[in-house]
Each structure stands twice: as structure tokens, then as C-alpha cells.
Amino acid sequence: MYEGKTRVVYVENDPALRGILSSQLEQRAEISLTGSFSSSEEALRTCDYKKVDVALLDLALGAESLNGTELAMLMREQNPHIGIVIYSQHNAPDYLNSLSDLVRWGWSYVEKRGDGKIDNLVDILISTSKGRSTFDVSHPEQSSEESVISQLSLRQRQIMSLAATGLDANAIAKELQLAPITIRQELSRCYAILVPNPSEGTDLRTSAVLKYLREVRRDGEI
Amino acid sequence: MGRFRNYLLPVPILPGYLAFIFFNLTTYGIVRFKTETEPVLFGWLRAWLEACIPAVVIATFLYIAAHAVNFSLKKITGARKKRYFYYIGLFIISLAYTLSQSLTDPDLPELSSRAHFRNFVHIFVAVSLIGNLYVNMRREIEEKMAALTLVQAQNKVLIESEERSRATVANFLHDRVQTALVTVTMQLSEIAKKISPTERSKINSIIAEMEHIRGVDVRTAAQRLSPDLSVLGLGPALQLCVDALKPAIRSKIYISDTAKEWAKPHISREHFHLGIYRIVEQATLNAAIHGRAKNVSIYIDLHYNQGEDVIFIDVINDGALVASPTIPGTGSAITAGWLSILGGTSDLSNTEDSKVKLHLEIPLEK
């Protein structure tokens, strides 16, 4: 810690992601981003790890470069107390178990996600710098064995197909020669089937249409 | 020239050939040298010992002659020369054998020279026929073995080339496409913070869908193309593979305690894990597509068997029973290709409870 801030070094070979995340971290009052590098070699050559509390490392840093785990081991040689947060697309359930007990303390694993809240990442960075370990990966919605489309009636499928083309309830009613109130009721039933547990701030119609299109694509796949 | 390159005398059968001559000569010798005045056993033994010396000398001469012909054939270039030398060699050997019989057969010395010549011709023809038959048979076997080796080598190259292509596309999906989607969704999230709550909720729904595409669709596609065995290990990779085939087919994987440690990720086992993964994947797909199976059970076990560790795999499905013999084109090529690389065996059969069982035994690499 330096002046109450957790000192972070970030190594990521994708320039766009490095730019966005670096910018988000720099805006945080509790974080001091001491360096952001595109490769293991650059990070090892440039950075003084004795002045770093935690390293945020991409796992795959390119075919010609050390990977995040190998880089972390070298950082630990320079600073045995440095916290390590591996940040990767891999959903690797046994990653932490694969590490030796001697190095596992202060070592976390976070899955890269577009909807990942920066607050969550910052909390993990701070706790890891204090020696704690966190394993944070998403548990994507598993495809149910039975397609959700089969739970919709033929009429509801017609309505959702028209909704997917961008028509509103009135236009759908006109197309199907039904009352608009009937269409709204059917749409509500469709939303309940397609988006049974909506998270806060979710637009039901958009989510339901996207889910419907996904299920239609999935139907018939092996 | 190619044909006569293989026209080396049947050296591998020479020991048997010589044993036959030795037996022949000593048998003649016993008849020739045995006297009626001696006791049976002693007379037989003396006769055998007397016959033994010329038999050994003649057999050794024939052996050296055959080797000399063989050695010369290797040195001689040109098909015609080889052919001549081959028959000259057979002529000398047949002549030597006829003379050796003349020396030891009690009846032959009294026969006319015409009978000797006829005897020689018979032996020469017989030796030539046997030699030609042996050479042709050996050449055919060698040609077929060479063709088989070539096919296996080509198959290995094809499989490895396909795996490299799959890995390239999978890495692209995993590293480039997923990262690009993460970046785009993060940018969208930043934009969503600055717009009205109604529009933000729409953007959030789109972000959630993009995350689903990235976290499930792209990741599953990448996994199916080329499993990330270096990170996942065999068990979880297989689980992802069979889960992706739901709801068409439901699968359960059982890995024994002895095989669990071996199934963990390790760089030295990655290629072997990949082979097993592809075989099980293909067996499950075959069960779904060709057998119309609804359920598959996969058992992986590790045993110490006949001095080596062997992986035993059973893939049992409830689909249509297999025809006997197996119908070609039912997806066994990939399994056969990987088995030839890994050096294992397979057996496809119907079980007593009307299920189809693919049994594999693959010795572990040293």
C-alpha cells in the first residue's frame, strides 16, 4: 500500500482491452496503476515489483511470450509478497488447485467478462494484495434439455417472430387481425416463459426477443 | 531389377533346410554303415556317428554356399545378372545336395548316371520352385506392409494437420473473438451509463446476450474445435464435449480413482488425452447419429496389465445394435486413425442387455 492506495501492475496483450480497463482502474481512488504492459518481457524489463502490491495478468499473453502464470512466478521471485490476479477468458475450474500450496496464497483467478463490474475486480485486487485468494468465474445459463420454444403455443411463436422483426404490439395485432390487448397479454406470457428471472435493469422485450432468436437457432442443432 | 533385389535365397528357412539335410544324411548313413553283427543300440550309435561327420561337412558346405550366393546377389547390380547368378547358385546347391546323397545313400552309388542326373533335375526344380514361391510371397508381404505403413503415416499426418487447423481456429475464437467481444461489451457498458434508464435497460439486455454468445456459444465452439486440455484436463474437457450434444444425447462420464490422476492436465499427456478425447467424442456422435441412441455411458479406467499401464475405455449406448460385420462408413475412421497413432485396440459389440459397447485398450506411452 502506498498513501492508502493499492499499487497495481496490469499486463494484457490486447491493446483495446488494456486501454479500457487501465482507464477504469485509473479512475478508482483506492487503486494506483503503476504500470500497464503489453507483454511479459516488457513487464519484466520495465517494472520494479518491490513497489507493487498486486499484479493483474492475462493468462495467454501470446505464443512467443511467457504466460500469466509463468510471469507471476518470476514476479514472486522479485517480490514474495506480491498478490497475483489472473484475468482470463478460460473458465478453468481447477486452476487454483493446480497451483502448489506454497504459492497459492494471495493468488486469485477472475474470468474476463464484458459485463464484469469494475467494483468487483477492484475488491478482488485489494483482497488479493492482502493475501486472500478468490476464484471468480461466471456460471453461464446452461441450455435446458428441452427447448424453451416448445413451451410457447403456436400463436405465441407467431407473435414472438413478429416482435423479433421490430413490430410493436399494435402492428402485430394488425398483422394477425387480433385485438392489441390480446397481443400485450400474450407478449407478457411469452416474457414470463423466455425470461423467467430477469435481472435488475433488464428490458424484458429486448431480452425475450434475443432469447427467442437464440432458441430458434438452437432448435434442430445436434 | 526391383524384382531380383528380393531374390535373395531363403536364408531365414536355411536352418530348417539344413536340419532336414542333416537328418536325411544321418538316416541314410545309419542304413549304410550299420552291421548286423553288432548289438542294435551300439550298431545304431556307431553308424550315426560315422554318418554324422560327412553330414556336418556337407551341411556346412551348403550353408556357406547359400550365404555366398546370397552375399553375391546383394553385390551384383542389374536384374539379368542377378537372375543368372541366382539360378547358378541354385544349380550349385542342388548339385552339391545330389552328390551328398550319392555319398551317403546306400542305393544311389549303384544307380546309373542317368538316374543321378534325373535326381539332380528333380532337386533343382524343387529348390527353384520353393525359392521362387518364397521370394514372391515375401515380396508381396513386403509390398503390402509398405503400403500399410504409408497409409498409416499419411493418416497420422492428416490427423495432426487437422488438429493444427482446428487449434488455430479455436485459438482465434478463444483469444481474438472473445477478447473483442469483452472489449465491445465493456465499451457498451460505458455508453449505457450515460443514457436514459429506458435505453440503458435495452443496452443491458443486449450486453447480456453478447456475454451469452461469448461465454457459451463462442467458448463451446472453440472447445469443440480443439479442447483446451492443457488447462482443463481430460475429464472436464470430455464433460463439456458431451454436454454440448444435449439434448440429442445424454451422457455420463465415470473416471476411476486410478485414472483420475492420469486424467489431470499435464504437458506430457496432452497428445494422448487429445486422442482419447477424439475417440470418445466420435463414439458419442456415432451413437447419436448412426445408432439414434439417447443415452451414453463412458467409463475410463487405468490398469496395470502384462507389464504396462493400460487405459481401458468403454463407451456404452442404448442405440441400434451393431450389424456384424460392422457397416463401413459408420464413423469408425477417426477412431481407427487415432488408435493407429496411440497403438491401441478396439472392439465393437452388442451386450447381453441389448446395448452397444465400444471397448478400447490403449497402452500408456512410456
Side-chain angles (χ1 to χ4, degrees), chain B residues 133-152:
Chain B
L133 190 71
Y134 171 80
V135 167
N136 284 333
M137 204 167 68
R138 202 175 74 171
R139 198 182 60 241
E140 257 185 54
I141 291 169
E142 281 172 0
E143 281 173 1
K144 283 179 181 168
M145 289 301 289
L148 185 67
T149 308
L150 183 67
V151 168
Q152 283 177 339

Side-chain angles (χ1 to χ4, degrees), chain B residues 78-203:
Chain B
R80 183 174 285 182
K81 275 187 188 174
K82 268 182 187 285
R83 192 185 299 127
Y84 288 147
F85 201 85
Y86 174 72
Y87 284 110
I88 289 167
L90 289 184
F91 179 85
I92 293 167
I93 289 167
S94 303
L95 190 63
Y97 184 65
T98 311
L99 288 173
S100 72
Q101 274 203 321
S102 305
L103 284 172
T104 50
D105 189 330
D107 299 328
L108 279 176
E110 281 77 42
L111 294 177
S112 65
S113 56
R114 196 172 169 183
H116 281 302
F117 179 71
R118 196 168 55 237
N119 196 22
F120 163 76
V121 169
H122 288 167
I123 292 168
F124 181 74
V125 170
V127 169
S128 300
L129 283 174
I130 291 168
N132 274 300
L133 190 71
Y134 171 80
V135 167
N136 284 333
M137 204 167 68
R138 202 175 74 171
R139 198 182 60 241
E140 257 185 54
I141 291 169
E142 281 172 0
E143 281 173 1
K144 283 179 181 168
M145 289 301 289
L148 185 67
T149 308
L150 183 67
V151 168
Q152 283 177 339
Q154 285 174 336
N155 197 26
K156 187 180 176 190
V157 169
L158 277 175
I159 286 177
E160 286 176 349
S161 163
E162 188 189 339
E163 287 300 335
R164 272 197 300 277
S165 305
R166 281 168 167 261
T168 305
V169 180
N171 286 339
F172 178 79
L173 286 173
H174 207 284
D175 294 340
R176 295 275 298 280
V177 177
Q178 280 211 70
T179 304
L181 283 167
V182 167
T183 310
V184 170
T185 46
M186 284 174 101
Q187 284 171 330
L188 268 177
S189 298
E190 287 298 300
I191 293 165
K193 287 176 188 169
K194 298 166 189 165
I195 56 178
S196 70
T198 314
E199 295 303 315
R200 191 184 306 145
S201 66
K202 286 181 186 170
I203 297 286

Side-chain angles (χ1 to χ4, degrees), chain B residues 293-359:
Chain B
K294 289 290 168 199
N295 297 286
V296 169
S297 300
I298 298 151
Y299 300 87
I300 299 177
D301 200 358
L302 174 66
H303 282 305
Y304 190 71
N305 188 27
Q306 294 179 351
E308 58 186 355
D309 286 326
V310 180
I311 288 290
F312 290 80
I313 301 167
D314 285 327
V315 183
I316 301 171
N317 73 73
D318 61 355
L321 298 179
V322 288
S324 185
T326 313
I327 301 164
T330 47
S332 57
I334 291 173
T335 304
W338 271 107
L339 279 177
S340 76
I341 292 173
L342 301 178
T345 58
S346 72
D347 176 48
L348 184 66
S349 61
N350 299 319
T351 63
E352 286 178 1
D353 54 345
S354 300
K355 288 184 176 172
V356 179
K357 177 176 167 182
L358 175 67
H359 176 74

Side-chain angles (χ1 to χ4, degrees), chain A residues 12 14 16-17 20-21 24 27 59-60 87-95 98 109 111-116 118 138 140-147 200-204 206-207 210-211 214 217-218 221-222, chain B residues 174-176 178-187 189-190 193 197-198 200-202 204-209 211-217 219 223-224 228 231-232 236 243-248 250 285 288-289:
Chain A
E12 165 66 64
D14 186 84
L17 184 59
I20 293 170
L21 204 58
Q24 291 183 347
Q27 289 169 21
L59 187 57
Y87 190 54
S88 168
Q89 286 108 338
H90 290 275
N91 188 338
D94 285 329
Y95 178 80
S98 70
Y109 187 94
E111 187 193 352
K112 278 181 190 171
R113 293 198 295 271
D115 60 353
I118 189 73
S138 63
E141 180 191 346
Q142 292 299 311
S143 300
S144 57
E145 295 200 3
E146 193 182 352
S147 169
E200 197 183 332
T202 303
D203 182 76
L204 274 177
T206 311
S207 297
L210 291 170
K211 178 81 179 282
R214 187 202 306 161
R217 284 197 300 270
R218 183 189 157 207
E221 278 181 13
I222 186 162
Chain B
H174 207 284
D175 294 340
R176 295 275 298 280
Q178 280 211 70
T179 304
L181 283 167
V182 167
T183 310
V184 170
T185 46
M186 284 174 101
Q187 284 171 330
S189 298
E190 287 298 300
K193 287 176 188 169
T198 314
R200 191 184 306 145
S201 66
K202 286 181 186 170
N204 283 341
S205 296
I206 292 168
I207 287 172
E209 183 63 17
E211 267 301 288
H212 187 277
I213 291 168
R214 182 198 66 78
V216 177
D217 295 346
R219 185 177 281 163
Q223 276 295 332
R224 285 188 73 175
D228 201 351
V231 174
L232 296 173
D243 283 349
L245 300 176
K246 285 180 187 172
R250 293 171 195 83
L285 279 170
I289 296 167

Side-chain angles (χ1 to χ4, degrees), chain A residues 105-139:
Chain A
W105 61 269
W107 197 305
S108 297
Y109 187 94
V110 181
E111 187 193 352
K112 278 181 190 171
R113 293 198 295 271
D115 60 353
K117 304 288 182 281
I118 189 73
D119 296 349
N120 184 45
L121 182 61
V122 167
D123 288 346
I124 291 172
L125 284 169
I126 293 169
S127 68
T128 306
S129 73
K130 292 173 181 168
R132 283 192 284 274
S133 296
T134 307
F135 183 70
D136 183 58
V137 298
S138 63
H139 298 283

Side-chain angles (χ1 to χ4, degrees), chain B residues 29-41:
Chain B
I30 289 164
V31 177
R32 189 177 180 193
F33 296 116
K34 194 178 167 189
T35 60
E36 297 295 330
T37 54
E38 288 172 308
V40 173
L41 183 64

